[in-house]
Short mmCIF file of all heavy atoms in Angstrom, two decimals:
data_model
loop_
_atom_site.label_atom_id
_atom_site.label_comp_id
_atom_site.label_asym_id
_atom_site.label_seq_id
_atom_site.Cartn_x
_atom_site.Cartn_y
_atom_site.Cartn_z
N TYR A 90 270.14 196.88 163.04
CA TYR A 90 271.57 197.06 162.77
C TYR A 90 272.13 195.96 161.89
O TYR A 90 271.88 194.79 162.09
CB TYR A 90 272.35 197.09 164.08
CG TYR A 90 273.85 197.05 163.88
CD1 TYR A 90 274.54 198.20 163.50
CD2 TYR A 90 274.56 195.87 164.03
CE1 TYR A 90 275.90 198.18 163.31
CE2 TYR A 90 275.92 195.84 163.84
CZ TYR A 90 276.60 197.00 163.48
OH TYR A 90 277.94 196.96 163.28
N LEU A 122 260.43 189.99 162.47
CA LEU A 122 259.20 190.77 162.66
C LEU A 122 258.44 190.92 161.35
O LEU A 122 257.20 190.79 161.32
CB LEU A 122 259.56 192.14 163.24
CG LEU A 122 260.03 192.17 164.69
CD1 LEU A 122 260.63 193.53 165.03
CD2 LEU A 122 258.88 191.85 165.64
N HIS A 147 252.94 204.99 155.04
CA HIS A 147 251.77 204.20 155.45
C HIS A 147 250.88 205.07 156.34
O HIS A 147 250.82 204.87 157.56
CB HIS A 147 252.22 202.94 156.18
CG HIS A 147 253.15 202.08 155.39
ND1 HIS A 147 252.72 201.12 154.50
CD2 HIS A 147 254.51 202.06 155.35
CE1 HIS A 147 253.76 200.53 153.95
NE2 HIS A 147 254.85 201.07 154.45
N ILE A 173 261.71 191.90 181.44
CA ILE A 173 262.74 191.40 182.35
C ILE A 173 262.81 189.88 182.22
O ILE A 173 261.78 189.20 182.19
CB ILE A 173 262.41 191.75 183.82
CG1 ILE A 173 262.31 193.27 184.01
CG2 ILE A 173 263.45 191.17 184.76
CD1 ILE A 173 263.60 194.01 183.87
N ASN A 206 259.42 187.72 181.79
CA ASN A 206 259.46 186.57 180.90
C ASN A 206 260.01 185.37 181.66
O ASN A 206 261.20 185.26 181.89
CB ASN A 206 260.34 186.88 179.68
CG ASN A 206 260.41 185.71 178.71
OD1 ASN A 206 259.59 184.80 178.76
ND2 ASN A 206 261.39 185.75 177.83
N LEU A 273 260.62 170.26 176.77
CA LEU A 273 259.77 169.56 175.80
C LEU A 273 260.23 168.12 175.58
O LEU A 273 259.65 167.40 174.75
CB LEU A 273 259.77 170.30 174.47
CG LEU A 273 259.17 171.71 174.47
CD1 LEU A 273 259.34 172.36 173.10
CD2 LEU A 273 257.69 171.68 174.85
N GLY A 295 280.00 171.45 160.24
CA GLY A 295 280.84 170.72 161.18
C GLY A 295 280.09 170.12 162.36
O GLY A 295 280.71 169.50 163.22
N ILE A 296 278.78 170.32 162.44
CA ILE A 296 278.00 169.78 163.55
C ILE A 296 277.61 168.35 163.25
O ILE A 296 276.95 168.07 162.24
CB ILE A 296 276.75 170.64 163.80
CG1 ILE A 296 277.16 172.04 164.25
CG2 ILE A 296 275.84 169.99 164.84
CD1 ILE A 296 276.00 172.99 164.47
#
Side-chain angles (χ1 to χ4, degrees):
Y90 171 78
L122 289 168
H147 303 274
I173 301 291
N206 180 17
L273 296 175
I296 295 178

